Structures are given as structure tokens and as C-alpha cells.
Amino acid sequence: MTTIDGYLAGLDEPLGEIGAKLRPVIEAALPAATAAMWHGHPVWGLGDRPGQRPVCLVKAYPSYLTFGLWHGQEVDDPSGRLVPGARSMASVKLRTLDEVDPALFTDWLRRARPRAATA
């Protein structure tokens, strides 16, 4: 089973570098979150098991890294960077290191916490 460290270390550059910059932002904004590999990629949630009350995910594709928020469509995003997805999710595609904005992403994470006991 792959770990989050292994997943991020196995990414080609610049995706690995983007993931290495993004992870501490997530963990600082969600200090009580459970971080785990779930469905093949890193997920952070507020439950005691992987995938329970998920908040965000990081998923690699060949040319970008997706940073997704389960309740991202509920987040006020004046930057316009969050793209709506399935259900209430929203995400941003990251292709370069300078696209990681720690202050903006921290704000999104604090606003995107799940409302229900399970998701």
C-alpha cells in the first residue's frame, strides 16, 4: 500500500514539487484531520477513518495536480479559481509551483469543512 509520502515522492516534476508545497498548507489548515490514501490518492478528512467526512484531496494526472474540496462549491471564491465538479465538489488544476497560493488555499480549507456527520 502506498503512503502519502510515497505517492508524492513518486510524482514527476513539477508535480512532486507542487505536492510537497501543498501538503503542509493542508495540514496546517486542518490540524485535526486524518490524512490517508483513499481510492489511490491522498485525502484529508475530519472522521476517524479514511474517507469519513472528507475535506480535500490531491490527485495527480499526467500534466497537472488536482487540489479538490468536497464542499468546494459552498466556498465563496472571489479568485474564481475553483472549478465546480460533481455533487458539491470544486477543484483547481495546478501545473506550476507558483499556482499554489498558501493564503488562498488555507482560506478555502477553513470554509470547506463538511457539515454532515458523514459524507
Side-chain angles (χ1 to χ4, degrees):
M1 180 176 187
T2 302
T3 64
I4 293 175
D5 288 334
Y7 182 89
L8 296 175
L11 299 177
D12 291 335
E13 296 306 332
L15 304 184
E17 193 175 26
I18 294 167
K21 183 175 180 180
L22 187 55
R23 184 178 186 182
V25 172
I26 295 168
E27 292 179 350
L30 301 172
T34 301
M37 293 297 292
W38 191 52
H39 294 280
H41 54 272
V43 173
W44 287 261
L46 298 177
D48 58 358
R49 296 186 322 260
Q52 188 180 46
R53 297 182 64 211
V55 176
C56 69
L57 64 89
V58 172
K59 186 172 182 179
Y61 292 89
S63 63
Y64 61 89
L65 195 71
T66 293
F67 172 61
L69 300 165
W70 256 265
H71 298 277
Q73 290 183 35
E74 299 172 14
V75 173
D76 180 34
D77 178 31
S79 76
R81 291 184 62 192
L82 283 175
V83 177
R87 300 180 202 107
S88 64
M89 291 190 77
S91 63
V92 62
K93 294 177 181 178
L94 305 168
R95 291 179 174 85
T96 63
L97 189 59
D98 63 343
E99 292 177 317
V100 177
D101 181 336
L104 178 62
F105 289 19
T106 295
D107 184 55
W108 289 345
L109 285 161
R110 290 186 177 148
R111 295 171 186 263
R113 294 174 187 243
R115 310 300 187 266
T118 60

